[in-house]
Amino acid sequence: MDILIIMGSKSDIDYGREVVKILKEFGVDYKIEVSSAHRTPKRTIELVRDAEEKGCKVIISIAGAAAHLGGVIAAHTLLPVIAIPVDSSPLNGIDALLSSVMMPPGVPVGCMAIGKMGAKNGAIFAIEILSIYNESLKEKLKNYRKEMAEGVLNSSKVVKEELE
Ligand code: RP5
């Protein structure tokens, strides 16, 4: 397994889907689990330790509200941890963003944007980390960016046709 994804709750599943969709596109080997930093703290730590033993290289945490999941995971591993703050509380994800991004110095968490944008970027960022030692993934990332750029050029054509 190259990537372990831990979601704080089943209610975070839509964001898990976004992450997994991209990892599948790139053919990355991952495992996904629901485990909470406060409801199942011991299990969360066991999952992290087990992932390390199985050669996992990056951990993605997906959590909302006072999202301490990323920080708790990071406290138990030297692997890079990417947090995706979820807008699952009345504060619309600002709480999750701040509690993930404002880690005290020494135990960093790489925090993405709130919600689905962050979920997509979290997956891509994890793939970028893996691609440091994986040429084939690097090529796939190059193609991904090329296709994105082509998409922008096509949009420009469509807009010009309609508005010029
Ligand atoms: C967090 O609290 C979870 O990550 C979820 O985003 C939020 C609400 O969880 P549930 O009450 O829906 O299980 O721990």
Side-chain angles (χ1 to χ4, degrees):
M1 167 212 336
D2 282 330
I3 297 180
L4 172 66
I5 306 159
I6 304 183
M7 299 190 296
S9 166
K10 183 172 175 273
S11 64
D12 300 320
I13 192 164
D14 286 346
Y15 307 91
R17 270 198 198 100
E18 293 293 327
V19 172
V20 161
K21 204 167 123 191
I22 292 182
L23 298 184
K24 280 186 175 163
E25 256 177 64
F26 280 80
V28 170
D29 189 20
Y30 68 88
K31 287 265 176 272
I32 187 158
E33 299 278 353
V34 173
S35 194
S36 163
H38 49 282
R39 291 172 181 155
T40 56
K42 278 190 190 156
R43 178 167 184 268
T44 300
I45 295 163
E46 280 163 17
L47 286 170
V48 171
R49 300 238 161 95
D50 183 57
E52 271 187 325
E53 278 170 22
K54 289 183 174 145
C56 174
K57 297 178 184 70
V58 183
I59 301 182
I60 297 178
S61 83
I62 305 175
H68 41 279
L69 183 61
V72 166
I73 293 171
H76 291 89
T77 183
L78 294 176
L79 293 174
V81 178
I82 300 171
I84 297 161
V86 169
D87 45 341
S88 57
S89 82
L91 297 182
N92 298 321
I94 295 291
D95 41 2
L97 172 71
L98 295 180
S99 53
S100 301
V101 81
M102 289 306 295
M103 280 295 288
V107 183
V109 167
C111 182
M112 300 291 115
I114 299 170
K116 290 191 179 172
M117 283 196 299
K120 283 182 186 156
N121 273 348
I124 296 165
F125 195 58
I127 293 165
E128 286 179 353
I129 294 171
L130 297 181
S131 80
I132 295 170
Y133 297 107
N134 185 326
E135 278 306 314
S136 123
L137 270 185
K138 201 172 279 173
E139 281 310 306
K140 287 181 186 172
L141 280 169
K142 281 182 193 163
N143 283 337
Y144 183 80
R145 291 216 179 173
K146 200 170 146 238
E147 281 166 21
M148 259 194 314
E150 284 165 2
V152 175
L153 292 181
N154 284 338
S155 308
S156 186
K157 268 189 210 152
V158 171
V159 169
K160 281 161 83 68
E161 272 165 23
E162 191 184 321
L163 301 182
E164 268 185 1

